[in-house]
Amino acid sequence: MISKLLLLVTISFLQALKIGNFLHINSIIRQNNRLVVSTPGGVFTYDLFENKLDRSVITETPVKLALMQNLLTVFYIDMYGNLYRWTTSSGRVFYLASVGQATSLGVCCDKIYVENNGTITAFSTSGFRLGRQRPENGTVWVGRLNSYSKDSLKVSFLAPFFFYDDLAGKVELTYFYRDFNTLWVGTDRKGIYMYDMNLKTVRDSIQIGLAFDKVESIIGVDEKIFFGGDRGIVVKRKETWTPIEAKCQGVKKIAILNDTIYYENNCGIYLLTPNWQKLFQARAKLLGIHKGLIVIQKGDYLLELSPGANILYRVKTPYEISGMWIYKDQPIFLINKRVYSLDMKPLRKFNKFFPIYSMTSQGDTIYLLTEMGILKFSDGIVEKFPVPLRPASGISYPMVAGKNRLFIGSPEGVYIVYLEDLSFQRYTPDLRNPRVESLYFDGERLYIGTRRGLIILSF
């Protein structure tokens, strides 16, 4: 039965966070109860009272300096010397003016101040150049005028155990709050460290976001979420994001078996334990896990391997396998827009709806994305739903189902189909390339992997 579709172009009732390459810190400033942090992947604010990420935005170019005018608006400068305004209530980023390579950024009342090696120029909050002016007494600064370099004697106590720590990374900028006796230290790949200036010890650390841009694989296991991308893996557990440097870059697929991570990259399939990682299969494609076995494609064969790399099952495949899903406790495969079983037999009940562009399973229910619409197979009944997009060859359409919703990724963003009344919404992130590479739904949040970073929608 086909219900009337209702297209909604906004999802204002959903909270969206855009997570980019946030582990390299370009500047830090504390304003009220928030840290405002600029990174190569964009800007984020961190709530120090709640100890969690507050707001974030992915930008097309690295952000050098950032600070808030108030709790709703952030002004920042990207690497090309352009001044922008980010309005967090709407998520929009607006160009204001070209200001050159600033070394500090200040804001007070209705003016923005740009400092370049001692020369200070004022701008209106709409971007109009006001010329050289003396800053007002209440001006808040971020950058050179309000930070210490690593050569400062006031932070020399850090040198023996921080500046040469490979795990912590290289210090790029520090910020010291005398009233709290706290020093915030930004690193190049490990986020932010907080030091007690009296005890000369680490009190806490903030590690948020990805160490890469393109997010190709997302999987959740035991309250942990694993993200694979063009430069490695990041593990999220609660509010902590921990990067793992993968051997041979370009992680395309992640699978978890017991406490071992299996990941596919440009060199093949590696296995990673808490203590070491090594090559598992060279020149192979990782498909998934089935009943304690690792399922891969190697050459013209589909293989099921034990954790010890012993081949327990092998069958010849007709074409390259696009993906694997578990349906009624058995693996099925999408090959050349058709569905095959483990023994590489075509499944006619699905293939009569050829071509099939994507699918996802949830228990004993499976959804297929076809040209005629979305097909739902459950309890021997086939239902057809109108599809909000027209799929095309050569494009990936990741799909996940959960909480009576179906999520479909596309080059334009994500479509959310509500299975109760078949209404749907489209979420198009404000990115130059919003193409969706991967999806994961944990029951409350939808994780959207794109070519520019990660977007989290909370329901």
Side-chain angles (χ1 to χ4, degrees):
M1 179 178 181
I2 301 175
S3 300
K4 182 180 179 181
L5 288 180
L6 175 63
L7 175 60
L8 304 176
V9 295
T10 63
I11 54 171
S12 57
F13 59 90
L14 300 180
Q15 179 186 4
L17 286 175
K18 299 179 181 180
I19 313 297
N21 184 358
F22 288 171
L23 294 175
H24 177 106
I25 310 301
N26 289 330
S27 72
I28 314 169
I29 183 173
R30 177 172 180 168
Q31 293 181 266
N32 299 315
N33 66 314
R34 289 176 172 86
L35 290 181
V36 182
V37 185
S38 64
T39 74
V43 179
F44 71 86
T45 60
Y46 186 84
D47 191 322
L48 293 171
F49 291 171
E50 298 289 337
N51 291 321
K52 66 178 184 179
L53 183 70
D54 182 40
R55 297 183 176 97
S56 60
V57 63
I58 294 175
T59 58
E60 298 293 338
T61 54
V63 177
K64 181 179 179 183
L65 302 167
L67 80 170
M68 291 189 293
Q69 183 193 32
N70 50 49
L71 294 181
L72 297 177
T73 305
V74 174
F75 295 87
Y76 60 89
I77 294 177
D78 70 10
M79 65 177 296
Y80 295 108
N82 295 316
L83 185 65
Y84 290 82
R85 180 176 71 243
W86 167 36
T87 304
T88 59
S89 57
S90 65
R92 299 292 302 276
V93 178
F94 300 94
Y95 170 81
L96 293 179
S98 177
V99 297
Q101 295 299 319
T103 49
S104 302
L105 181 66
V107 63
C108 182
C109 307
D110 59 347
K111 294 180 183 178
I112 309 166
Y113 298 97
V114 176
E115 183 257 347
N116 188 344
N117 293 320
T119 300
I120 298 176
T121 305
F123 292 81
S124 70
T125 54
S126 60
F128 183 75
R129 186 184 181 93
L130 302 175
R132 295 185 182 181
Q133 293 187 11
R134 182 182 179 88
E136 299 180 49
N137 293 332
T139 301
V140 178
W141 291 97
V142 65
R144 186 180 68 89
L145 294 183
N146 206 14
S147 67
Y148 292 127
S149 71
K150 65 180 182 180
D151 299 323
S152 172
L153 294 178
K154 294 183 179 180
V155 296
S156 59
F157 70 92
L158 293 173
F161 61 92
F162 185 86
F163 291 122
Y164 306 103
D165 185 349
D166 292 335
L167 295 178
K170 181 180 63 177
V171 173
E172 291 291 340
L173 182 135
T174 61
Y175 190 82
F176 173 50
Y177 305 98
R178 291 181 180 272
D179 51 342
F180 292 105
N181 282 315
T182 299
L183 179 73
W184 300 95
V185 180
T187 74
D188 69 341
R189 281 182 297 177
K190 294 294 181 179
I192 303 169
Y193 281 75
M194 181 176 68
Y195 285 81
D196 187 302
M197 291 295 287
N198 292 328
L199 301 177
K200 305 295 190 292
T201 58
V202 179
R203 289 174 51 192
D204 202 355
S205 65
I206 300 172
Q207 297 173 340
I208 290 177
L210 305 173
F212 42 80
D213 297 322
K214 189 176 180 181
V215 185
E216 295 196 67
S217 180
I218 310 174
I219 185 172
V221 178
D222 297 333
E223 298 183 347
K224 297 179 182 178
I225 302 178
F226 299 81
F227 305 92
D230 48 355
R231 291 197 298 277
I233 298 172
V234 170
V235 183
K236 179 182 183 295
R237 185 170 187 177
K238 296 182 179 179
E239 297 301 323
T240 300
W241 304 64
T242 305
I244 300 175
E245 186 173 352
K247 292 187 176 181
C248 189
Q249 301 300 312
V251 175
K252 298 178 175 64
K253 177 77 174 180
I254 300 175
I256 311 294
L257 179 58
N258 301 325
D259 293 328
T260 302
I261 303 172
Y262 294 84
Y263 65 89
E264 174 197 346
N265 58 23
N266 296 329
C267 302
I269 301 173
Y270 280 76
L271 64 83
L272 170 66
T273 71
N275 301 317
W276 49 273
Q277 58 181 306
K278 70 175 183 179
L279 182 65
F280 182 72
Q281 287 288 320
R283 297 182 297 278
K285 183 175 184 176
L286 177 62
L287 298 172
I289 303 294
H290 174 237
K291 294 184 177 180
L293 301 179
I294 302 96
V295 185
I296 72 170
Q297 183 179 16
K298 189 167 185 178
D300 296 331
Y301 289 91
L302 171 71
L303 305 176
E304 284 192 325
L305 307 178
S306 70
N310 297 314
I311 300 175
L312 302 183
Y313 181 79
R314 180 172 65 178
V315 62
K316 193 173 180 64
T317 59
Y319 300 98
E320 182 180 358
I321 300 174
S322 300
M324 165 183 149
W325 292 264
I326 303 297
Y327 175 55
K328 293 185 176 181
D329 204 34
Q330 293 296 322
I332 58 175
F333 305 89
L334 186 60
I335 303 175
N336 201 26
K337 298 184 177 63
R338 290 180 171 86
V339 183
Y340 288 76
S341 63
L342 179 61
D343 56 1
M344 288 295 107
K345 297 291 180 59
L347 300 179
R348 187 178 181 280
K349 68 175 181 178
F350 300 137
N351 294 332
K352 63 183 179 180
F353 301 103
F354 172 88
I356 300 167
Y357 293 90
S358 183
M359 59 183 178
T360 188
S361 59
Q362 187 180 32
D364 290 342
T365 300
I366 190 167
Y367 300 90
L368 306 182
L369 177 63
T370 71
E371 289 184 349
M372 66 180 63
I374 299 170
L375 302 178
K376 175 185 177 182
F377 293 78
S378 181
D379 298 325
I381 300 175
V382 181
E383 297 181 70
K384 185 175 73 171
F385 308 149
V387 65
L389 73 161
R390 186 173 181 84
S393 298
I395 297 176
S396 174
Y397 297 93
M399 295 172 58
V400 293
K403 211 170 184 179
N404 212 22
R405 298 179 178 93
L406 183 64
F407 306 97
I408 306 172
S410 75
E412 298 82 29
V414 175
Y415 291 87
I416 306 173
V417 181
Y418 294 86
L419 300 176
E420 289 181 350
D421 58 3
L422 300 186
S423 63
F424 66 86
Q425 298 172 294
R426 184 179 69 180
Y427 173 66
T428 302
D430 187 19
L431 300 175
R432 186 174 299 170
N433 190 348
R435 180 168 178 170
V436 176
E437 299 287 341
S438 54
L439 291 174
Y440 173 74
F441 184 62
D442 67 0
E444 298 294 334
R445 292 167 294 275
L446 178 68
Y447 294 83
I448 307 169
T450 76
R451 294 194 171 190
R452 288 289 304 145
L454 176 71
I455 297 168
I456 304 174
L457 297 183
S458 298
F459 293 85

